[in-house]
């Protein structure tokens, strides 16, 4: 059984809560701003889960393929795509070994996936292999120096069956060292801690105030983009 199989049925429920929908919106805005997806492009969503970003990309006129190792998560992704009438290809497979030729995709995206893989450096190298020359790889990660990472780490320690029990969260320095070249762009956000949230309006005010400083400390979400140069 894959790590997230048992979470498939309830995975999307978090995004329906007030705090979850705020976090989801902040992360999506950051991922889209950094990725700059364009209609007609070919994109790959690695570790696609229930297809949250696959569907978002498809809604923008992009030809999307999603890959995940979890049969249960892919089942939910296919159901959502069918319901929304989006033509997305979902494949079950190990993202350490992608079944695609070199230089296949204009955009490869991965959101909160490297935290759970055996070798994030190998996954990143494999992802870059299938990016076209001049194409982009965008990765979203939980910021290590944040209350979000502290909360997830505590969950992992308290419950050995938690998906976070073996998770690794990244500092900026670690992110820069994941690939032979440093990212062309790193964007930081989600500066509101889980226990600070009251309303979306209040949360957005705090987010705007704190994001101006761009500090790593307190940033719950980090997006990095690499451009394939060779």
């Amino acid at each position: 059984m894959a790590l997230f199989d048992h979470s498939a049925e309830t995975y999307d429920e978090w995004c329906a809560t007030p705090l979850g929908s705020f976090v989801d919106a902040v992360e999506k805005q950051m991922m889209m701003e950094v990725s700059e997806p364009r209609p007609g492009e070919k994109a790959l969503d690695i570790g696609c889960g229930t297809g949250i970003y696959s569907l978002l990309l498809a809604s923008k006129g992009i030809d999307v393929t999603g890959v995940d190792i979890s049969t249960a998560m892919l089942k939910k992704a296919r159901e959502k795509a069918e319901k929304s009438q989006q033509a997305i290809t979902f494949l079950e497979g190990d993202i350490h070994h992608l079944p695609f030729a070199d230089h296949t995709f204009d955009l490869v995206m991965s959101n909160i996936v490297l935290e759970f893989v055996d070798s994030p450096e190998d996954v990143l190298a494999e992802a870059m292999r299938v990016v076209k020359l001049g194409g982009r790889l965008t990765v979203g990660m939980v910021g290590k120096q944040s209350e979000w990472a502290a909360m997830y780490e505590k969950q992992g320690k308290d419950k050995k069956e938690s998906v976070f029990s073996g998770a690794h969260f990244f500092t900026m320095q670690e992110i820069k060292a994941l690939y032979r070249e440093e990212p062309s762009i790193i964007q930081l956000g989600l500066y509101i801690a889980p226990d600070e949230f009251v309303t979306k309006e209040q949360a957005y005010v705090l987010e705007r105030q704190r994001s101006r400083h761009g500090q790593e400390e307190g940033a719950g979400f980090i997006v990095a983009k690499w451009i394939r140069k060779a």
Side-chain angles (χ1 to χ4, degrees):
M1 178 177 285
L3 181 63
F4 281 86
D5 273 354
H6 70 282
S7 306
E9 288 300 320
T10 59
Y11 189 82
D12 292 334
E13 292 179 1
W14 156 251
C15 295
T17 66
L19 174 57
S21 62
F22 167 75
V23 172
D24 184 53
V26 170
E27 291 181 355
K28 282 178 176 174
Q29 181 177 356
M30 291 174 63
M31 289 289 281
M32 292 298 106
E33 284 181 357
V34 174
S35 297
E36 299 181 294
R38 306 172 187 106
E41 287 191 319
K42 192 172 183 179
L44 175 65
D45 182 8
I46 60 175
C48 63
T50 63
I52 293 172
Y53 280 87
S54 297
L55 269 74
L56 179 59
L57 289 170
S59 72
K60 298 183 180 298
I62 294 168
D63 178 6
V64 182
T65 299
V67 177
D68 202 282
I69 201 168
S70 169
T71 302
M73 296 288 266
L74 287 172
K75 181 176 182 290
K76 296 297 292 186
R78 292 185 179 108
E79 290 172 355
K80 289 162 63 176
E82 184 177 356
K83 186 176 180 180
S84 64
Q85 298 183 326
Q86 298 280 13
I88 302 171
T89 301
F90 288 109
L91 303 174
E92 185 173 337
D94 182 357
I95 60 176
H96 293 81
H97 307 285
L98 296 170
F100 308 107
D102 295 357
H103 314 305
T104 299
F105 298 95
D106 301 288
L107 171 64
V108 175
M109 179 180 287
S110 179
N111 186 49
I112 310 184
V113 172
L114 295 186
E115 291 86 341
F116 304 99
V117 300
D118 295 332
S119 176
E121 293 85 359
D122 288 346
V123 169
L124 201 67
E126 181 69 350
M128 284 294 283
R129 180 184 68 79
V130 302
V131 176
K132 293 179 181 179
L133 293 178
R136 300 93 66 208
L137 166 63
T138 304
V139 179
M141 290 163 277
V142 175
K144 171 71 173 177
Q145 296 186 31
S146 71
E147 292 298 322
W148 289 96
M151 180 183 73
Y152 295 139
E153 286 172 343
K154 185 177 186 304
Q155 288 180 19
K157 290 177 182 177
D158 292 347
K159 296 181 179 180
K160 293 305 178 184
E161 70 275 13
S162 169
V163 295
F164 296 108
S165 62
H168 174 78
F169 303 107
F170 297 87
T171 64
M172 288 272 286
Q173 200 60 37
E174 288 176 316
I175 292 169
K176 291 178 180 179
L178 281 172
Y179 190 63
R180 62 175 182 261
E181 299 169 3
E182 291 190 4
S184 60
I185 294 175
I186 296 180
Q187 188 176 123
L188 298 92
L190 193 59
Y191 284 97
I192 185 167
D195 60 358
E196 289 183 302
F197 182 88
V198 180
T199 66
K200 284 187 179 181
E201 291 76 14
Q202 165 258 4
Y204 276 115
V205 170
L206 287 177
E207 182 68 16
R208 284 192 292 269
Q209 291 173 347
R210 296 172 181 176
S211 61
R212 295 188 189 119
H213 303 293
Q215 297 177 342
E216 180 179 4
E217 186 175 355
F221 192 59
I222 301 174
V223 181
K225 180 172 76 174
W226 288 264
I227 297 175
R228 180 70 185 269
K229 298 176 182 177

